[in-house]
Amino acid sequence: MNYKNNTRYFTKENIGKLSIACWVAVGAGLLAYFALNWYWSYLGASFALVAAVAAIVTSTMSVSDKEYTASVVNAENAFKKDFRAFTEEKLNAHNGRGKAPVSLDEEKIKFARAYLLEGQIMFRVGHDGRRRSNKLVMTSFYMDKTAVYLGYRLLSMTSDECEEIFAVYPYSSVESISASRPEERPSFAEYDTVTLKLKNKPEPIVFHMTKDIELDHLVANVTSHITKDEE
């Protein structure tokens, strides 16, 4: 991952505007160059040359929304690949030898992604109006009859900072699961905080996940399995 390039997306967001201004200055310099007066022609040519160099330099420094999003997509694909490999390895180990290897269908693996918009982050509203940060929250899960397979990665796009969870939680080991949104969280944040409490463990598993139908599916289905185990 190009951390330096991703950092420029947040720290050099006005460079693109400066580059445009430089090209405008080039045009102004060329107009002066074609003036009848030799003094203005010389001054205009010099000004246009300096502005052109500045425009080229600033354009190479800026990072567009599209470029940063491409880096995010690469991070997503790497996470999806890691979670799929983890889940299939666990399923194959559970099945034992002599059985055909498990290969999961894509639609059976649920995935959600959001930008972290709280804490120590770098933040920017792109030219497309979307809010982005340098912290990426990615969650995947797969559920079978006995357990939920969970993958979570909180990834910095500007450094090697990374927190992750890859684990299998049998329904019989889960005490409860819930999703909540702290009052201090920005209203435009697209994620909730999920708390997974395990039996015989004092510290819960806490992670973020996009608030959508997949989150509702996770909470509802795990809760349903817990209820069945208690009956």
Side-chain angles (χ1 to χ4, degrees), residues 112-127:
R113 184 267 288 170
Y115 293 104
L116 190 69
L117 298 176
E118 58 190 290
Q120 296 183 348
I121 61 170
M122 303 176 76
F123 176 79
R124 174 179 172 180
V125 178
H127 295 296

Side-chain angles (χ1 to χ4, degrees), residues 185-201:
R185 179 166 297 161
S187 59
F188 49 78
E190 299 176 343
Y191 55 89
D192 280 358
T193 297
V194 181
T195 302
L196 182 69
K197 293 183 179 180
L198 302 176
K199 298 175 182 177
N200 302 321
K201 285 193 176 183

